[in-house]
Amino acid sequence: LPTPPARLPYVPQVPRTALLGKVTASTFALERPHCVFDGHADASDAVWLAVAFANASAAFRNPLSRADVPRYKQLPTARSYMTLETAAAAYSCSAPSPAVLRVGDDTACRDQGRQDPCNGPLPSPGPYRVKFLLMGCRGPKAETRWSEPILLRRAVSPSTIDPAPARRGSAVVVIASILASLGAVLATAVLGALG
């Protein structure tokens, strides 16, 4: 039997800082793990991101090889997939790297000829849970904990949008009237001074 992977205390999470498009209807950002796999990784190892529906994360089984990695196109039936295969060195303490990863941002994954592993748009609001998995040539070597559930934004139905503008309060109308009157008085004064 293969040796079970080391359990790392790291928990993936959506960045706490303000970030444009941090969570959308089909994507979300994750903090990039830094120094998490040092001491476990060799130069030839890769780090994968496992993505699962929150209610299916407990049933997820780590693949024994790259050939067994669950694919994006299987998400609707398998309820999980793996993506963002990256050389382990990119996550080392010495590697300069962007602060975030974006899950679900490869719209080309919908193309029939596109090869997995793919980082395609997430098909529903979820919620989803994710974990990082360090894989070597002999299978999984280390894994992080699963994230807390991540719920995507829901698109607003056009039928729920009120086409009528919001009513303005009487104070707003009074202020607008005064400003318009002052503008007219100022314009008359400038024309009178020039004439």
Side-chain angles (χ1 to χ4, degrees):
L1 287 174
T3 306
R7 297 276 176 125
L8 306 175
Y10 181 81
V11 178
Q13 64 182 6
V14 172
R16 295 175 195 263
T17 58
L19 181 67
L20 190 62
K22 181 165 46 175
V23 177
T24 71
S26 62
T27 68
F28 60 89
L30 275 181
E31 288 181 353
R32 188 180 187 97
H34 189 66
C35 300
V36 172
F37 304 103
D38 290 13
H40 297 278
D42 294 326
S44 60
D45 294 344
V47 175
W48 289 80
L49 181 73
V51 181
F53 284 101
N55 60 4
S57 62
F60 180 85
R61 297 292 169 254
N62 291 334
L64 298 179
S65 70
R66 190 179 192 283
D68 300 325
V69 165
R71 306 299 184 184
Y72 168 75
K73 62 187 173 189
Q74 299 169 325
L75 177 61
T77 54
R79 314 284 294 155
S80 61
Y81 74 104
M82 287 173 60
T83 188
L84 297 177
E85 179 184 20
T86 306
Y91 296 112
S92 70
C93 293
S94 60
S97 59
V100 297
L101 302 170
R102 181 151 303 276
V103 180
D105 72 343
D106 189 355
T107 57
C109 289
R110 293 182 176 161
D111 299 342
Q112 293 297 326
R114 176 68 187 227
Q115 292 296 311
D116 273 326
C118 206
N119 185 23
L122 298 167
S124 73
Y128 299 93
R129 296 179 83 188
V130 298
K131 74 173 181 177
F132 290 96
L133 180 64
L134 174 68
M135 289 190 59
C137 59
R138 292 195 173 104
K141 295 174 73 174
E143 64 183 340
T144 67
R145 296 176 185 226
W146 285 100
S147 69
E148 292 298 317
I150 300 166
L151 184 64
L152 302 185
R153 294 187 182 276
R154 294 180 191 270
V156 176
S157 170
S159 62
T160 63
I161 299 172
D162 184 8
R167 293 191 168 269
R168 302 280 185 221
S170 59
V172 173
V173 174
V174 169
I175 292 171
S177 300
I178 291 171
L179 291 175
S181 300
L182 287 175
V185 169
L186 182 62
T188 305
V190 168
L191 290 175
L194 292 175

